[in-house]
Amino acid sequence: MKALQHSYSMMDNNIDIYIQALNSANCGIIITDNTQPDNPIIYCNKAFETMTGYSYDEIIGHNCRFLQAQDRSQPERNFLKECIFKGNECRVEIRNYKKNGHLFWNELFISPVKNKEGKVTHFIGVQNDITERKRSEHELREEKSSVERKIKERTKELVEKEVFLSSIIQTVRESLLVLDSDYKVLSANNHFLNSFKVTSEDTVGKILFELGNHQWNIGPLKELLTKILPTNNPVIDYEVEHNFPYIGKKVMLVNAYRIEFEGQYKDRILIAIEDITEKKEIDRRKDDFLSIASHELKTPLTTIKGLIQLLQRMAPEGSSEKYTTTLDKVSVYVDRLNILISDLLDTSKIQSGNIELHKEPFKIDKTITDTVENLSLAAPNHRISLIGSTESTVLGDELQISQVINNLISNAIKYSPGSDKVEVYINRVGNFVKISVKDYGMGINAQDKAKIFERFFRARDIQKKFPGLGIGLYISHEIVVNHNGTLWVESEVGEGSTFSFTLPIMKNDEN
Ligand code: ADP
């Protein structure tokens, strides 16, 4: 600083104030003398010392290049050199190094001082440490490129997913439509277009109910579809029999859902339509076959039963015990066969809606007691206990109700190989009689429980071990429903099952 003071000693007295001002500046300031060889630094302020970590004495006399240490190949250096050579002012951002070797980014302004002749005598350099700013800029750039990379990856993923999904949608053997909230078709898969013999132009963008001569304007279906968005209630397995313009009379199974995406409901409806005409026809043929076959089997069986009874009555004198016991056994097996065939007949009657109900008032406690007694005789190895009574009268078909109890108790015995206990409860619950059959057998898993009352359903693991046709519960369920009651099951695998049903008590019998 002394040197500078000396150089300017002839100048006005304010010089001290100027130097004080330079020293209190936040940016580093240096002055170089261009008239001396190698343009040495002849002044630096405090901030420059702080910024570089060098002391005033270590700085004065040096060319600025010491600040770049070994990092010499920066293009900014050439630019600086050129500006100094030409006596121009300029601004560069350059990598500099502190005394301790740490890098810092220097934003450097240089401006020449010229004498009266226009010759450059000095350069004034003003510098700011912009390391932080550079770091943030760098981080920002990194962040930006990582976000861009992620967006690219995500877009690629989405495109792949979309291609994947749309190829599934186009391949499934089910007609699919997506509708917006105005029931306008947003997309239709190939299966839909092929099945209904329509083009994409005829379909997409059109209101569903106006498609192909209003072929989808089917009252009850329309009502269900229009309720989906306001209520979120899906349409499940709705059968529509309809005469479609280009494909004729068909039975379609319609399922429709409000589309949910990432946990949020959208104003879009997905409709899946399956042509079940052929399946229905095959089912109908099977039902017809079942009905005819069971009729045909029943007739000779009735004759056989009659003949056995005749043989039992007309047993030859002195016939052996073996003869009579064999005849009794034949009679028992014929009875069993008869029950099986009657069950099959019942199923086909239920299917065709021809099941007859002979309703008469009867005392339910007695029906239960009689059935339990009969079964106890037939299954002497099991203890069937009857708990409770109701003293009520039910209006219904007593034979059918006793068939239900029979089915439930027979199942309770059949599916509890390791237990000999079956409990039958009968109670009054409000205006209903509730009958429960509880066993301590193998139980039923949740998946099977949902299907147990379906026709021909048998749990997979028991199929080979226990005989049966899988229709007893189906018939029982239909009978109970026809009597305005409900039949249900509660069960845990390995712990047993409780089948319960209710029947309404006859009005004038209620307490
Ligand atoms: P079936 O006994 O002839 O198979 P059902 O219609 O009576 O026909 O029963 C259907 C299926 O329900 C049975 O195959 C069996 O898997 C299951 N099931 C019925 N009752 C019971 C029970 N008490 N415990 C366990 N499983 C049962």
Side-chain angles (χ1 to χ4, degrees), residues 111-131:
S111 116
V113 180
K114 294 181 181 165
N115 62 13
K116 281 187 197 123
E117 288 81 41
K119 190 169 176 285
V120 177
T121 57
H122 297 84
F123 269 96
I124 298 175
V126 179
Q127 31 234 312
N128 283 304
D129 183 344
I130 54 161
T131 315

Side-chain angles (χ1 to χ4, degrees), residues 52 286 297 330 337 373:
T52 61
K286 265 197 258 172
L297 290 170
V330 175
L337 203 54
E373 266 172 23

Side-chain angles (χ1 to χ4, degrees), residues 240-409:
V240 195
E241 190 173 330
H242 191 67
N243 207 347
F244 292 93
Y246 307 118
I247 55 172
K249 198 166 179 169
K250 296 275 173 195
V251 187
M252 298 289 174
L253 189 70
V254 179
N255 278 282
Y257 299 85
R258 182 171 188 171
I259 292 179
E260 205 186 330
F261 182 66
E262 293 182 343
Q264 278 197 322
Y265 281 115
K266 305 282 162 199
D267 278 345
R268 300 265 189 277
I269 301 171
L270 172 70
I271 308 186
I273 306 157
E274 192 188 346
D275 183 349
I276 52 164
T277 319
E278 227 168 277
K279 193 168 158 279
K280 286 284 265 186
E281 175 59 20
I282 293 170
D283 279 352
R284 196 189 54 76
R285 265 187 253 152
K286 265 197 258 172
D287 288 339
D288 286 354
F289 168 78
L290 214 63
S291 153
I292 295 164
S294 38
H295 261 294
E296 293 298 313
L297 290 170
K298 202 152 172 96
T299 322
L301 204 64
T302 315
T303 317
I304 294 172
K305 179 77 188 165
L307 293 173
I308 291 169
Q309 282 167 346
L310 198 68
L311 283 176
Q312 280 171 325
R313 274 202 302 275
M314 300 181 352
E317 231 167 88
S319 55
S320 68
E321 202 185 318
K322 188 147 189 207
Y323 176 88
T324 41
T325 51
T326 309
L327 219 48
D328 289 348
K329 269 190 199 154
V330 175
S331 173
V332 168
Y333 282 107
V334 168
D335 284 345
R336 273 198 209 163
L337 203 54
N338 214 354
I339 291 172
L340 278 178
I341 293 171
S342 301
D343 277 355
L344 276 177
L345 252 179
D346 282 351
T347 12
S348 56
K349 277 188 201 154
I350 292 171
Q351 276 308 104
S352 57
N354 285 338
I355 194 129
E356 291 162 29
L357 267 184
H358 303 286
K359 279 193 174 177
E360 270 179 34
F362 66 94
K363 293 278 177 201
I364 184 79
D365 293 8
K366 174 141 188 356
T367 318
I368 306 275
T369 316
D370 290 350
T371 319
V372 168
E373 266 172 23
N374 283 342
L375 277 163
S376 296
L377 290 177
N381 297 332
H382 281 78
R383 283 182 291 127
I384 310 170
S385 30
L386 177 62
I387 302 140
S389 64
T390 66
E391 310 290 334
S392 19
T393 309
V394 167
L395 179 66
D397 191 321
E398 189 179 359
L399 253 181
Q400 290 189 10
I401 297 301
S402 84
Q403 187 182 349
V404 173
I405 302 160
N406 227 307
N407 278 341
L408 298 184
I409 299 178

Side-chain angles (χ1 to χ4, degrees), residues 2 86-87 112 119 183 200 278 287 354 369 415 478 510:
K2 272 186 210 138
K86 287 185 182 164
K119 190 169 176 285
Y183 308 97
S200 181
E278 227 168 277
D287 288 339
N354 285 338
T369 316
Y415 298 113
E478 293 301 308
E510 287 168 15

